[in-house]
Amino acid sequence: LCDRRQRQMCIRDSGDGDVTVADAIMIARHLIHLETLTGTSLKAADVDRDGYITSADCVRLARYLSELVETL
């Protein structure tokens, strides 16, 4: 799995190092089959590291972006 720094960089493959709402949207789009994440993006999308990409990953990322939690 990606470490924290890699996770911030590899959901969108933007290389900017910032996690944004665009990352949460990409996870949501993956969940409803509008987009397919692969490789490191897929690994990074498993925010809670339970081995599955679920709505819980979107929620955790949204909570992080809302500064309700300090870490992913």
Side-chain angles (χ1 to χ4, degrees), residues 3 11 21 44:
D3 65 21
I11 296 175
V21 71

Side-chain angles (χ1 to χ4, degrees), residues 1-55:
L1 293 175
C2 300
D3 65 21
R4 185 169 187 269
R5 178 68 177 156
Q6 288 172 318
R7 179 179 311 282
Q8 291 177 339
M9 295 174 61
C10 63
I11 296 175
R12 286 177 291 128
D13 286 330
S14 66
D16 62 9
D18 294 327
V19 177
T20 70
V21 71
D23 296 296
I25 291 169
M26 285 187 71
I27 295 171
R29 290 177 58 83
H30 176 80
L31 290 172
I32 60 173
H33 307 286
L34 292 178
E35 188 164 338
T36 301
L37 299 176
T38 60
T40 55
S41 295
L42 184 63
K43 290 178 183 178
D46 183 13
V47 177
D48 60 13
R49 298 181 185 188
D50 67 354
Y52 303 96
I53 310 302
T54 67
S55 58

